[in-house]
Amino acid sequence: MIRFAGRNLQTLGSRVRRSRLASTLAFVETTKEGAIVPSSLNALAAAQQLGNNITALLLGPQATSAASVLKSSVQCTKLNKVLVSDEVKYEHYLPEKVTPLLVNLLKDEEYSHFVVASSAVGKNLLPRVAALLNYQPVCDITKIKDAKTFVRPIYAGNAIETVENTQSMALVSVRASAFEAVPEGSSESAVIEQISLSDGSTDLDVQWQSANLVKSARPDLSSASTIVAGGRALKDKETFDKLLVPLADALGAGIGATRAAVDSGFCDNSLQIGQTGKVVAPELYIAVGISGAIQHLAGMKDSKKIVAINSDPDAPILKVADYGLEGDLFEIVPQLTDKLMQARK
Ligand SMILES: Cc1cc2nc3c(=O)[nH]c(=O)nc-3n(C[C@H](O)[C@H](O)[C@H](O)COP(=O)(O)OP(=O)(O)OC[C@H]3O[C@@H](n4cnc5c(N)ncnc54)[C@H](O)[C@@H]3O)c2cc1C
């Protein structure tokens, strides 16, 4: 057990050292269309486990409409307030723009916990907020033991650490795949409030320019219930597509890849799963020609059922697999796809 001691806040003065009210500020991300990003629903479920009343924070031009969606579509019994700011500057969640507001909200004693999903946005915001408040964040938690004690993987998932937070506030990011999302329903008793607080920021010369996103009709990796992932053994992009796309189509699955496959140009790097890619935990994960390096396992070993297709009986992936198909993927994958297609008829 590691203890994060209360080493905080020479800079913000003694006010912050006093004990805080038990309440949680939960950062909720939305898409630009105003939908709630799924990982934020997992983070809300984690926030609920803390047992405090929850204030959700939604930012950007779609914040007020997304707040209504949140209230009417999810059941979060601890949610009693939704803070919103529709200011355009919060669109795209540029950390230089959002961090000053978060620091202002968190520096008073109102909140004992700040919770954010361990998404790209959360990973961008949390260290900045923590550094400015002089707190040690607790990143990527997978379990909450109590309001002060958290479990998280370290060393690419090779060790599990229990952390006790003895600071007056816990700043936590949540590994989405480790928590079930809050269920559908409604949280109608929550009140929506516009943020009146100024974020006190000076106008930093940081502007969002553009995003180059890969569009795909496939399920998003973070929410897909089945994932077919390919490794270096697939040889090239053409073979990767020729073998994995029909298999994924037959299963209605998302497609993932190892870093070796991404680096070899078989597919876009948004499909990379692992320590430096996405962390997933689908119902079914089919690993095709993947050795099972620890950096890859770090991103998928919590999948509910793992099937590995590999010609090497000693491949490490077979140690975590529920089912291993030993053999040549160039024979097995087309046969499996055919069988699945026939079963669907
Ligand atoms: C700091 C760092 C971070 C990293 N982050 C990631 C990460 O996020 N994600 C990630 O995936 N990797 C990551 N890596 C890379 C990782 O260490 C491995 O190199 C990579 O995962 C290997 O990919 P692979 O399994 O596709 O290839 P290989 O290790 O080459 O494995 C290929 C497998 O295919 C099998 N095979 C070959 N031919 C056939 C066939 N015809 N039929 C069936 N099976 C066959 C082989 O037996 C072998 O097991 C990282 C590495 C470092 C150092």
Side-chain angles (χ1 to χ4, degrees):
M1 155 115 40
I2 305 268
R3 283 204 165 78
F4 286 167
R7 48 189 274 271
N8 44 7
L9 299 185
Q10 282 108 12
T11 44
L12 288 167
S14 56
R15 260 173 6 127
V16 193
R17 280 195 208 98
R18 292 204 297 268
S19 68
R20 288 165 169 260
L21 297 171
S23 69
T24 299
L25 181 68
F27 189 85
V28 174
E29 271 175 68
T30 67
T31 64
K32 65 179 183 341
E33 293 78 24
I36 310 293
V37 170
S39 61
S40 287
L41 299 178
N42 304 87
L44 264 182
Q48 188 144 265
Q49 284 185 23
L50 293 166
N52 309 328
N53 281 334
I54 299 171
T55 298
L57 174 65
L58 281 82
L59 301 176
Q62 69 298 325
T64 302
S65 59
S68 304
V69 172
L70 182 73
K71 276 183 56 170
S72 61
S73 62
V74 304
Q75 191 193 338
C76 184
T77 47
K78 292 286 179 186
L79 184 66
N80 66 352
K81 198 194 283 183
V82 186
L83 279 179
V84 294
S85 170
D86 291 315
E87 283 205 48
V88 177
K89 68 175 174 181
Y90 298 131
E91 199 179 8
H92 310 300
Y93 304 119
L94 282 181
E96 292 82 358
K97 309 270 182 192
V98 176
T99 304
L101 175 67
L102 286 172
V103 168
N104 263 2
L105 284 169
L106 293 170
K107 73 183 180 195
D108 294 321
E109 285 102 39
E110 200 174 336
Y111 302 107
S112 56
H113 293 78
F114 173 61
V115 173
V116 63
S118 203
S119 60
V121 171
K123 285 178 187 167
N124 226 341
L125 289 175
L126 190 66
R128 290 166 196 260
V129 172
L132 287 166
L133 290 169
N134 203 15
Y135 273 79
Q136 170 71 48
V138 187
C139 298
D140 212 18
I141 64 160
T142 52
K143 205 188 247 181
I144 294 171
K145 291 200 148 184
D146 60 43
K148 292 197 305 190
T149 318
F150 308 97
V151 176
R152 65 175 185 182
I154 53 170
Y155 305 129
N158 277 316
I160 305 296
E161 178 182 66
T162 300
V163 176
E164 186 185 333
N165 179 71
T166 58
Q167 304 166 114
S168 58
M169 177 169 57
L171 303 169
V172 171
S173 67
V174 172
R175 182 176 284 201
S177 59
F179 293 85
E180 291 288 334
V182 278
E184 286 179 16
S186 81
S187 308
E188 287 302 341
S189 59
V191 288
I192 299 179
E193 228 175 68
Q194 289 286 333
I195 296 174
S196 51
L197 188 77
S198 148
D199 64 17
S201 66
T202 47
D203 232 354
L204 282 176
D205 194 15
V206 176
Q207 299 296 332
W208 184 87
Q209 291 291 329
S210 65
N212 193 358
L213 299 176
V214 176
K215 293 207 172 68
S216 166
R218 289 196 179 281
D220 181 57
L221 282 181
S222 54
S223 54
S225 63
T226 304
I227 292 176
V228 172
R232 195 188 331 247
L234 283 149
K235 288 198 164 84
D236 53 33
K237 179 170 171 41
E238 202 190 338
T239 319
F240 185 94
D241 289 344
K242 197 170 119 207
L243 288 183
L244 291 202
V245 170
L247 179 58
D249 284 347
L251 290 161
I255 293 184
T258 63
R259 177 158 148 185
V262 168
D263 289 351
S264 307
F266 300 180
C267 58
D268 185 75
N269 65 5
S270 60
L271 302 191
Q272 184 176 316
I273 291 169
Q275 185 188 339
T276 42
K278 299 215 163 96
V279 177
V280 299
E283 294 297 318
L284 174 63
Y285 189 92
I286 304 184
V288 180
I290 290 177
S291 59
I294 51 166
Q295 294 91 352
H296 186 75
L297 298 185
M300 49 62 73
K301 70 176 164 35
D302 292 331
S303 304
K304 313 287 176 298
K305 283 276 176 282
I306 299 172
V307 175
I309 302 172
N310 203 301
S311 52
D312 175 6
D314 296 323
I317 190 84
L318 294 169
K319 293 199 173 66
V320 298
D322 299 280
Y323 302 95
L325 292 174
E326 192 192 320
D328 186 354
L329 71 90
F330 296 99
E331 288 169 18
I332 293 172
V333 172
Q335 284 175 23
L336 184 60
T337 307
D338 276 354
K339 288 227 166 7
L340 286 165
M341 294 303 266
Q342 276 165 26
R344 284 178 59 159
K345 280 182 191 156

